[in-house]
Structure formats: structure tokens, C-alpha cells
Amino acid sequence: MSAPASPWLTVDPDVVSVALVYPMRGPAGMFGPTCELCAQLAVEEINRGGGVLGREVRLVPVDGGAPPAEVAAEVEALVSVGAVQGVTGWHISSVRQALAPRVAHRVPYVYTALYEGGERTEGVFLTSETPDAQLWPAMRLLAGEQGVRRWFVVGNDYVWPRRTARAAQRYALRAGGQVVGRHFLPLDAHDFREVLRRIEHSDADAVLMLLVGADAVRFNRAFARSGLDVRCLRLSTLMDENMLLASGAGATGRLYSTAGFFAGLVTQENLDFHGEFAGRFGVEAPPLGSLGESCYEGVMLLAALIGRARTLDVRAIETAADTVAYHGPRGRLGLRQRHVRQRIYLAEADGLDFHVLAQL
């Protein structure tokens, strides 16, 4: 259950409380446990180092899988009574669009999900990928190396998939191809018969998947059952190790993912992160993936922003933001225009693991 905005949340002057907004229900709920554990790992690391502004950091969980207006109202209430002094977490763009105008000018808000680009709200800082740096290089590489020319886009029906689909149309033309069809499904979709029929009749040689969590898992299974995986490769900008595992090895053939983090990246920072995660939560903990890892980074960036500005004041934090850097599983990262500068990779599914092919 998410933390209600109620009187039991007392204001403690020795604590910096952070609303951790992550999905506890719906198609993205499958990421929730990893998001929570990764954020907790970051908080414990920060507190071992003395906290933020000499104060202990604590998380206040909020269900980012609730309807966007409900999430925004709950977090705004927490901010209004002084129960939280910052916001972070992974949640879909519809939630961000409802939440940012209500709280970002009052407390710093670090958004960790990949998104469609273009966020300009004061006080919002973004750690994850955007289509220009993530999708376009991947489509260009697959056009050159796999001969992809005809893309079909399937996504959930909200702002991130729709805007990304428009970008994909431009990218396909730029790479010498075209988008031959688009189909949008409601969140928590189960019936893929119509979209599979349309893909089959389109003569597409690639499918761009812009589906969230369990929707992508169910689509992968239906796609493989239809036999379309023999004809079409799939590219997703939202496909982590948890989704791969849930899809099953038989549903991941010719499936590609592009992201700023994969659990299998062989770097010292990533190996250390895996060791710390397993040491703290055990080998039976949910698999690490880009979405959970993003919540670790969200907490670390929020602490770095506040620490650099030496205040919780949003305007002071904004002024100092481009001088901020933080360390995490992806090494040392900094900000430019409130977005994290980062490396992006293309990986191919190999059964239930990702094999990183290239840095884009």
C-alpha cells in the first residue's frame, strides 16, 4: 500500500523525507519490488556517509501505479504538510505530467523513467533516456546491419508511446525506411489478435514495441505463438531483465532492447552494484534491471543536487544543477539542461539474458 497523506506522517527536522513514486499495481507493478529495493540501497549508502545536509534520508512510498490524478494529489498533500522534501521514482509519463506542475516548483523532483523528451518544468531533473539518444541510433544501426526497412509500431495509448511513435516515423525515413503501421492499446492489454493481424498484413520486417511491463510480456508471448518472430525482429526501448524473464525464453527470439543500463554490463561499478544488492537483499531478490537501477540513481542524484546547493530550495538547486555529478552503477554521471548525460547501449535477448552488442 502507498503511504497516505495523513497526520501520522510527522515532520522531523532531522530527516529529509523523499516520496518514492513507483508502481505497486497495473502492468508496471512487476517492476515495483526492484524499484523499492534499489532506492532503499541508495538511501542506506547515503546515510552511512552522513546523510543530506547532515540529516538522515528516509523514503515515503507512493503507489505510482494509481490513476495519475490520484498520485499527484497524494504527493501534493505530502509536500503541503511538509512530510516530504523531495520526490523521485519510476512511473509513466502520464503520472509525471500530472505530478510535476503541482510539486516541482516546491520541492526537487527527480524523474527516473525513460520518456518522450521535452520536459521543461522548473524543478524537474531527469536521469533516463529520450528517443533522440536512445531510439534513433538503435533504428539506424538495425537498418544498416539487419536491413530493416519497414517498421510497425505497437504501444500503449498514452503520451510516451504516441510521441515516441511520431519520432520513430521521422527516424525510419531518415534511415531509408518507413513506418507501415501503428496500433495503440490500453494499459493492461490482454487481447493482441487485432494488432498481430495488422502486423502480418503489413509486411513489416520489424516491430517497435512501446509497451509497459506486463503488457509487453503478454505481447511477446502472443507474438511468438503467432510465428511472427521468424519474420520480424522486435525493438523495445522499455524491456528490462524482469520483463525478459517473465516473457520466457521461447518468446524472446530476435528481440532487441536499447537502454542506458543492462544488468550484464561488465564494468567494475556494475559488478560492485550487483554485489551490494545481493549482499543486502539476498540472492532471491528480484532481478536487477534498468528500471529498478534508475530508482537507485534517482535517490543518488537527488542527494547530490541538494548537497551541491546546500539547501532544499528548488531555485538554488536549479541554479547549481549543471555542476552536479554523482556516482552509481553506470559510473560518474552529470547533468546538462537538467538531463543526465549518459551512454546508451543496444542489446539482443539471448534466452533469458541480454547480450550487449554495441554502445550507441
Side-chain angles (χ1 to χ4, degrees), residues 64 239 281 302:
M239 179 66 60
F281 302 114
L302 185 60

Side-chain angles (χ1 to χ4, degrees), residues 292-314:
E293 188 274 344
S294 77
C295 290
Y296 177 94
E297 288 197 27
V299 173
M300 298 302 288
L301 175 56
L302 185 60
L305 286 163
I306 295 168
R308 175 62 119 179
R310 298 189 179 90
T311 177
L312 294 166
D313 180 75
V314 173

Side-chain angles (χ1 to χ4, degrees), residues 117-250:
E119 177 61 69
R120 299 283 188 272
T121 307
E122 177 190 3
V124 179
F125 307 90
L126 306 109
T127 69
S128 284
E129 307 88 341
T130 53
D132 56 341
Q134 179 189 23
L135 179 57
W136 158 235
M139 291 178 68
R140 179 179 57 198
L141 187 149
L142 290 172
E145 296 197 359
Q146 299 287 337
V148 172
R149 292 294 178 267
R150 296 170 60 83
W151 291 88
F152 193 102
V153 181
V154 56
N156 288 118
D157 191 5
Y158 72 98
V159 58
W160 164 65
R162 284 195 171 274
R163 290 191 185 174
T164 304
R166 290 200 293 269
Q169 192 156 352
R170 298 193 303 272
Y171 302 155
L173 290 171
R174 199 184 300 173
Q178 60 181 312
V179 170
V180 297
R182 300 190 302 176
H183 190 95
F184 296 97
L185 297 153
L187 285 163
D188 205 20
H190 286 74
D191 186 353
F192 301 101
R193 288 173 294 183
E194 176 62 19
V195 66
L196 292 173
R197 184 192 65 80
R198 290 190 60 195
I199 293 169
E200 184 175 6
H201 293 161
S202 72
D203 291 327
D205 50 24
V207 173
L208 174 60
M209 295 172 52
L210 303 172
L211 296 165
V212 175
D215 287 11
V217 168
R218 289 188 287 265
F219 178 80
N220 280 338
R221 294 171 181 170
F223 193 81
R225 285 195 302 268
S226 75
L228 282 167
D229 56 338
V230 176
R231 192 187 91 193
C232 301
L233 64 79
R234 283 162 289 167
L235 172 65
S236 175
T237 58
L238 178 57
M239 179 66 60
D240 82 339
E241 286 76 4
N242 286 275
M243 296 164 67
L244 203 63
L245 183 64
S247 296

Side-chain angles (χ1 to χ4, degrees), residues 71-91:
V71 180
E74 181 171 353
V75 178
E76 183 178 33
L78 291 168
V79 170
S80 295
V81 299
V84 299
Q85 292 78 49
V87 179
T88 190
W90 192 102
H91 37 275

Side-chain angles (χ1 to χ4, degrees), residues 41 265 267-279 288 328-329:
L41 191 67
L265 280 169
T267 65
Q268 189 59 56
E269 293 91 350
N270 195 17
L271 292 171
D272 290 344
F273 182 56
H274 276 70
E276 291 163 5
F277 187 82
L288 283 170

